[in-house]
Amino acid sequence: MYTRRNFIAGAGAAAAAVRLLPEMAWAQRAAVKMAGLPKDMVWLNANENPAGIPEVALAAMHEVLPTANRYHYQEFGGIYDAIAKSEELSAEQVLVGAGSSEPLHCIVDSFTSAARPFITVTPAYEGPTDTARALGRPVVLTRLRDDYTADVHKLVEEADKAHGGLIYLCNPNNPTSTVTRARELAWLVANLPANTTLLMDEAYIHFVEAQDVESALPYVRQGKDVIVTRTYSKIYGMAGLRVGFAAARPDLIQKIAPLRMNVISIVSGRGVVAALTQQQSIVSDRKASLAKTRRELCAWLRDQKVKFIEPHANFLMIDCGRNAREFIARMPPLGVAPGRPFPPLDNMLRVTIGTGQEMAKFRDVFLKVYKG
Ligand SMILES: Cc1ncc(COP(=O)(O)O)c(C=O)c1O
């Protein structure tokens, strides 16, 4: 629930948060490094993809790099077209940005106001919530259900109460790795209150194997009040290249577009277009390989009688049986960097799924800390 009082208090902290936003991911990682930690650290803290940048993208970027003294503005229409086409959308239905972070930021700015709250679940990916707070917009957080899934009815109830708002949902959710099922998504779209927009963050949708989970992109194609964000940072393994996009009805895209900061780099743009020439095999091969490592880890945790939330993305939440802050701090000196704490899930440790070898090291270190 938001009140005028905490809205004003939130706005007080806002200016500092605005300055911090771009550094958030970097600062978190650098803070671990600064403690003088092992060179062969296994990084399982940021849901990156150890499969790396696809070969075809690397070759294309290598080729364009020497010509990056030019802006190449004339090429961007083609790059945006290729990205739109890869999801059966028109260029008018897509806004490309620096990762999905940039479109997310612009969407929160465009679709919330002092009278139109940002409504989501807790815990969820903090970026958009932090943006809303930094902009001084009211934030409404709803509790996850006992099975750690989003309660779509509660989200609608809150939007209704506020006479409209922006509902933000990650599917799968970060950090819980849980999903919103297709029938719940359909209910949510069909029951959006007046003056309400649904923002579905599908950063991890490619990793889902469950048959009853679907993307919200068909609702975008149908012209609903739905915006979907996607990123090349996760399954495509291109996090440092910073490319993502928002997909929505052209009138919604036009509302967001003026807030975008810049075009992406030509190197990143060419890399993504090259990766899209092998879209199907990149996505299916990486999904299969990740799912295998994820299954192995879950089986091991079951054998060890360690509780966890059934994962659908490239990370999972493990119940470490005590406050996770201390647990998290003890792992990096032993060579494994897990995710940050995610209150209110205070006993949960978020772990990104790495390679088979990385997860072998994770299992060793985890057991040492768990038993020690
Ligand atoms: C759910 C979710 N959305 C968006 C992002 C932003 O990533 P990027 O800007 O690299 O697309 C992240 C980053 O980890 C995330 O977890």
Side-chain angles (χ1 to χ4, degrees):
M1 282 295 292
Y2 69 95
T3 61
R4 188 172 153 70
R5 204 157 138 223
N6 61 27
F7 161 53
I8 291 167
V18 168
R19 281 195 302 276
L20 278 176
L21 282 174
E23 283 104 12
M24 266 184 357
W26 170 84
Q28 187 208 334
R29 195 163 186 167
V32 181
K33 267 186 188 159
M34 276 162 61
L37 294 160
K39 277 206 170 58
D40 59 348
M41 177 76 86
V42 171
W43 293 102
L44 304 179
N45 63 333
N47 299 343
E48 296 150 343
N49 190 339
I53 298 171
E55 284 294 326
V56 66
L58 267 182
M61 292 191 292
H62 199 257
E63 190 186 316
V64 72
L65 193 57
T67 74
N69 59 315
R70 305 278 177 202
Y71 290 115
H72 294 263
Y73 284 139
Q74 72 285 356
E75 259 195 55
F76 282 92
I79 293 172
Y80 300 159
D81 278 350
I83 289 175
K85 221 164 136 197
S86 73
E87 296 300 341
E88 293 162 51
L89 296 160
S90 68
E92 294 71 34
Q93 290 171 304
V94 160
L95 184 83
V96 176
S100 53
S101 296
E102 186 184 12
L104 283 167
H105 189 114
C106 301
I107 294 160
V108 172
D109 197 354
S110 300
F111 289 88
T112 63
S113 68
R116 204 171 187 250
F118 176 84
I119 304 164
T120 190
V121 299
T122 181
Y125 176 56
E126 310 96 323
T129 306
D130 289 346
T131 302
R133 289 203 169 115
L135 294 167
R137 310 287 162 77
V139 169
V140 179
L141 301 178
T142 65
R143 281 180 164 276
L144 293 176
R145 293 184 289 214
D146 290 347
D147 63 357
Y148 302 102
T149 60
D151 187 334
V152 293
H153 293 87
K154 267 203 189 130
L155 292 167
V156 164
E157 231 173 79
E158 292 296 343
D160 211 16
K161 236 191 277 175
H163 308 293
L166 176 67
I167 296 178
Y168 169 70
L169 208 49
C170 304
N171 199 24
N173 187 40
N174 180 8
T176 51
S177 209
T178 49
V179 283
T180 297
R181 309 278 166 183
R183 71 188 138 72
E184 296 216 89
L185 176 62
W187 183 89
L188 181 55
V189 175
N191 289 280
L192 284 179
N195 195 31
T196 300
T197 308
L198 174 64
L199 169 55
M200 293 299 295
D201 180 338
E202 296 187 343
Y204 302 101
I205 195 97
H206 300 104
F207 296 109
V208 178
E209 285 196 307
Q211 294 299 310
D212 55 353
V213 176
E214 284 166 17
S215 166
L217 281 176
Y219 296 115
V220 169
R221 296 188 200 103
Q222 289 164 27
K224 306 283 187 198
D225 286 314
V226 175
I227 307 174
V228 172
T229 52
R230 290 278 184 95
T231 181
Y232 294 95
S233 299
K234 305 301 176 180
I235 203 145
Y236 286 91
M238 301 170 86
L241 291 164
R242 314 303 304 127
V243 188
F245 66 92
R249 247 181 15 231
D251 62 301
L252 303 182
I253 291 291
Q254 276 166 28
K255 212 173 150 197
I256 311 161
L259 296 173
R260 184 173 49 170
M261 299 283 286
N262 213 323
V263 295
I264 55 168
S265 114
I266 186 65
V267 179
S268 305
R270 287 257 195 113
V272 165
V273 171
L276 288 175
T277 63
Q278 297 178 3
Q279 181 179 17
Q280 229 180 345
S281 59
I282 290 172
V283 171
S284 62
D285 294 353
R286 289 169 172 224
K287 175 178 174 171
S289 149
L290 181 283
K292 179 173 174 286
T293 315
R294 184 171 63 194
R295 270 194 301 276
E296 286 165 2
L297 180 63
C298 292
W300 180 81
L301 288 167
R302 271 186 217 105
D303 283 350
Q304 301 298 320
K305 310 227 177 322
V306 174
K307 287 191 206 142
F308 60 93
I309 303 175
E310 202 61 47
H312 294 268
N314 63 333
F315 53 91
L316 86 170
M317 286 290 246
I318 300 175
D319 185 345
C320 45
R322 67 189 96 150
N323 193 297
R325 275 180 199 276
E326 178 240 351
F327 204 102
I328 291 166
R330 286 189 56 199
M331 291 186 75
L334 300 174
V336 174
R340 58 196 179 275
F342 284 96
L345 301 182
D346 295 325
N347 285 9
M348 293 286 186
L349 178 76
R350 194 196 68 181
V351 179
T352 303
I353 315 280
T355 61
Q357 207 179 356
E358 287 173 336
M359 298 325 284
K361 183 163 175 188
F362 166 78
R363 291 195 287 268
D364 279 355
V365 169
F366 177 84
L367 263 198
K368 267 190 202 131
V369 180
Y370 192 72
K371 292 191 168 159

